[in-house]
């Protein structure tokens, strides 16, 4: 089949490359001419493990093209995916759908023959109706079905997630569209295709309900972690103790600095706005949004407290800037709020991240010192703060750190290390949710 992927970001490039790997012919389109130039030169504009190989392989096989203009790709396509960004709209927290509607208009102008327009971007319930209206208004004669097919991949494990998904949700009532979507995903059938067909609005809501549920789970364990600290319990053991119950499940029960990233913050907020407008506010999700916001500042306070409160002139070495390991994505990363808060109190920051520093430089205040590694960051620091659990930080040489740091203090916001081991090594150690029996 022929696929046009409109928007070549984290979702569009991975989905496009994976569809090409299935044997389809894919053109990835992006308005960002620089991005397309880089891709044509064989460069991958984002960091995602394994993506370079899969792009190179399918380019070489002639199944993957790139373009700035969508006209030809859309004209030839059986399915056109909209995978553009849907960031939070400034001011009200609604999803900004302007990129989606702009893409829909352009697609309508270029489409020829029966075309399935698939919304892969995360969009509020009812957006498919509006995409359809925009298309019909632009091209009343177009033979088009508008389908919802939300994406559930995780950055850092995106290819594996795309190729071995827990489920693929497709929202459409139209048999012709259903057939095209089945053909597109058929190569996954070897692993017994987990295709779930629903109505379009239901499909749109599944994506938000899924992300909101995961955000609730993370925030729940974070609050339990706070309680553990007060009452002398260990959150990792609580998480294990409840996670072994199949009704609860072990995933997303890692206490930490609060959720971030390009999806959970904006999607939870957008869902609360949708629900308020529908007259059925989602109080749990509203609370989660508020609790998570406050948490990042609480993490900065943890650092200040362990240093005795007055941190002016002191130095924190921050290890890990991205919102999670194995990505270069800095959007809404907890490190941003934590570093801002520490700098507001007069702290100096030395920072290192294996992949995120280019993006971080665009988002963090001038004055942060970026280093070439964890030990370079730690040089002369009063405190080491692990914000993101990259593998590179999991086996630090504490003897070496002891020699180069001004004070032997570690704030481990991902609970990578053990309190008893850190004590034995002579480090003052703070982590998350590990009270006195930790
Ligand atoms: P992104 O910002 O990385 O990429 C979006 C791309 O779309 C950009 O390169 C932009 O230049 C391009 N674009 C915008 N308007 C365009 C147009 N009219 N024509 C062509 N290109 C256009 O965004 P992303 O992280 O890939 O997210 C895309 C969507 O997928 C969002 O709705 C997001 O919520 C959703 N999603 C993201 C993830 C994730 O992990 N990043 C996971 C699941 C779902």
């Amino acid at each position: 089949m022929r696929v046009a992927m409109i928007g070549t970001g984290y979702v569009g490039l991975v989905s496009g490359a994976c569809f090409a790997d299935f044997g389809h012919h894919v053109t990835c389109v992006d308005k960002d001419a620089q991005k397309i130039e880089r891709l044509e030169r064989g460069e991958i504009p984002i960091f995602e493990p394994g993506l370079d190989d899969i792009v190179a392989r399918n380019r070489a096989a002639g199944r993957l093209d790139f373009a700035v203009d969508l006209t030809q790709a859309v004209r030839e396509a059986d399915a056109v995916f909209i995978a553009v960004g849907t960031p939070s709209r400034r001011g009200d927290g609604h999803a900004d759908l302007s990129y989606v509607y702009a893409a829909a208009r352009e697609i309508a102008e270029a489409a020829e023959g029966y075309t399935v327009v698939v919304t892969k971007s995360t969009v509020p319930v009812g957006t498919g109706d509006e995409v359809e209206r925009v298309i019909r208004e632009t091209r009343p004669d177009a033979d088009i079905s508008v389908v919802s097919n939300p994406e559930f991949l995780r950055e850092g494990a995106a290819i594996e997630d795309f190729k071995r998904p827990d489920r693929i949700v497709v929202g459409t009532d139209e048999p012709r569209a259903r057939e095209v979507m089945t053909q597109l995903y058929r190569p996954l059938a070897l692993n017994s295709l987990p295709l779930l067909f629903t109505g379009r609005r239901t499909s749109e809501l599944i994506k938000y309900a899924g992300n909101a549920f995961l955000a609730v789970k993370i925030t729940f364990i974070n609050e339990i972690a706070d309680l553990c600290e007060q009452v002398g319990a260990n959150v990792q053991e609580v998480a294990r103790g409840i996670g072994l119950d199949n009704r609860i499940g072990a995933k997303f029960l890692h206490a930490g600095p609060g959720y971030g990233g390009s999806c959970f913050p904006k999607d939870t907020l957008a869902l609360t706005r949708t629900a308020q407008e529908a007259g059925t506010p989602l109080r749990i999700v509203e609370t989660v949004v508020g609790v998570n916001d406050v948490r990042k500042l609480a993490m900065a306070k943890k650092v200040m407290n362990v240093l005795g409160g007055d941190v002016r002139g002191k130095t924190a070495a921050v290890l890990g800037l991205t919102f999670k390991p194995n990505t270069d994505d800095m959007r809404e990363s907890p490190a941003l709020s934590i570093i801002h808060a520490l700098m507001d109190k007069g702290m100096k920051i030395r920072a290192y991240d294996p992949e995120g520093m280019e993006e971080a430089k665009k988002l963090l205040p001038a004055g942060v010192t970026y280093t070439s590694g964890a030990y370079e960051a730690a040089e002369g620091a009063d405190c080491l703060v692990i914000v993101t659990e990259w593998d590179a930080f999991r086996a630090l040489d504490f003897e070496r750190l002891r020699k180069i740091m001004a004070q032997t203090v570690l704030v481990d916001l991902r609970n990578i290390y053990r309190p008893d081991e850190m004590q034995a090594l002579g480090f003052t150690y703070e982590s998350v949710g590990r009270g006195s029996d930790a």
Side-chain angles (χ1 to χ4, degrees):
M1 300 202 105
R2 295 194 84 91
V3 174
M5 188 66 64
I6 314 302
T8 305
Y10 288 87
V11 165
L13 184 55
V14 169
S15 310
C18 288
F19 275 133
D21 219 34
F22 292 168
H24 301 307
H25 188 283
V26 181
T27 304
C28 284
V29 179
D30 205 290
K31 284 243 173 297
D32 182 342
Q34 254 188 335
K35 201 176 254 190
I36 296 299
E37 268 170 37
R38 289 182 65 184
L39 283 160
E40 279 180 335
R41 281 201 302 268
E43 285 174 35
I44 304 295
I46 56 170
F47 176 74
E48 179 60 48
L51 187 57
D52 44 1
D53 283 349
I54 195 167
V55 168
R57 182 164 73 237
N58 286 285
R59 284 279 282 163
R63 286 192 300 264
L64 183 60
D65 296 324
F66 301 105
V68 176
D69 182 74
L70 58 64
T71 312
Q72 193 187 345
V74 168
R75 192 188 300 139
E76 294 171 352
D78 302 292
V80 181
F81 283 80
I82 299 177
V84 301
T86 50
S88 277
R89 201 159 66 186
R90 274 191 192 279
D92 64 6
H94 270 292
D96 177 353
L97 297 172
S98 54
Y99 304 101
V100 171
Y101 296 142
R105 237 168 253 119
E106 285 186 58
I107 293 165
E109 277 160 15
E112 269 182 30
Y114 179 60
T115 311
V116 181
V117 176
V118 190
T119 310
K120 197 161 243 335
S121 299
T122 302
V123 293
V125 59
T127 303
D129 303 356
E130 185 59 14
V131 167
E132 187 162 341
R133 196 192 62 73
V134 165
I135 290 175
R136 302 243 176 272
E137 185 182 82
T138 315
R139 274 280 300 284
D141 61 314
D143 188 13
I144 278 175
S145 300
V146 176
V147 168
S148 161
N149 172 220
E151 183 49 57
F152 299 99
L153 63 75
R154 296 162 302 166
E155 287 172 19
I159 291 168
E160 176 69 13
D161 284 351
F162 194 89
K163 291 192 156 187
R164 264 174 281 280
D166 291 338
R167 79 306 202 188
I168 299 155
V169 176
V170 175
T172 180
D173 298 323
E174 296 183 51
R176 278 196 302 173
R178 204 180 154 128
E179 182 52 28
V180 169
M181 295 305 286
T182 307
Q183 289 300 334
L184 273 174
Y185 283 107
R186 192 181 293 284
L188 283 176
L190 290 176
N191 318 320
S192 85
L193 193 59
L195 207 48
L196 174 68
F197 285 103
T198 68
R200 195 162 63 195
R201 285 176 166 251
T202 302
S203 166
E204 290 167 338
L205 194 52
I206 285 171
K207 175 65 192 173
Y208 281 97
N211 272 359
F213 192 86
L214 294 172
V216 169
K217 217 173 162 188
I218 294 171
T219 307
F220 175 81
I221 203 65
N222 283 341
E223 286 204 312
I224 294 290
D226 291 347
L227 180 59
C228 284
E229 288 177 13
Q230 295 309 314
V231 299
N234 180 335
V235 73
Q236 285 177 307
E237 287 170 15
V238 173
R240 187 166 153 74
I242 62 173
L244 285 169
D245 183 330
N246 284 332
R247 293 169 303 175
I248 295 173
K251 292 185 176 163
F252 278 76
L253 286 180
H254 300 288
Y259 62 77
S262 64
C263 292
F264 286 3
K266 79 175 174 63
D267 292 348
T268 44
L269 199 56
L271 181 62
T272 63
R273 295 293 180 260
T274 300
Q276 282 159 5
E277 279 180 8
T280 51
L282 296 175
R283 299 279 185 233
I284 292 174
V285 185
E286 285 174 7
T287 303
V288 160
V289 170
V291 169
N292 192 65
D293 275 350
V294 175
R295 183 159 192 84
K296 297 172 191 167
L297 294 183
M299 295 300 111
K301 284 220 179 84
K302 215 184 236 303
V303 176
M304 295 175 214
N305 290 344
V306 77
L307 289 172
D310 182 13
V311 292
R312 188 159 298 281
K314 291 189 176 150
T315 300
V318 176
L319 300 189
L321 299 171
T322 52
F323 80 100
K324 65 173 176 181
N326 295 323
T327 182
D328 58 350
D329 199 341
M330 281 296 302
R331 289 177 283 187
E332 300 290 327
S333 172
L336 296 172
S337 314
I338 294 169
I339 290 175
H340 273 287
L342 295 176
M343 290 180 86
D344 281 349
K345 294 290 178 207
M347 273 200 109
K348 294 182 210 145
I349 304 292
R350 297 171 65 79
Y352 171 68
D353 187 281
E355 294 292 339
M357 290 204 294
E358 279 316 302
E359 283 307 306
K361 285 175 190 167
K362 298 176 194 161
L363 299 170
L364 283 168
V368 172
T369 305
Y370 298 92
T371 67
S372 55
Y375 300 99
E376 290 76 5
E379 208 129 321
D382 296 283
C383 173
L384 198 63
V385 186
I386 298 178
V387 182
T388 317
E389 69 279 30
W390 285 91
D391 280 348
F393 309 145
R394 285 176 184 271
L396 292 170
D397 178 346
F398 287 96
E399 292 305 330
R400 182 171 169 194
L401 285 170
R402 195 208 308 275
K403 288 184 198 131
I404 57 178
M405 290 179 69
Q407 296 189 60
T408 47
V409 177
L410 172 60
V411 179
D412 174 5
L413 299 180
R414 299 291 181 170
N415 291 347
I416 294 176
Y417 293 100
R418 289 173 52 107
D420 52 350
E421 284 173 353
M422 285 301 115
Q423 206 180 359
L425 285 162
F427 269 71
T428 303
Y429 179 72
E430 265 296 321
S431 58
V432 178
R434 296 192 289 184
S436 56
D437 77 342

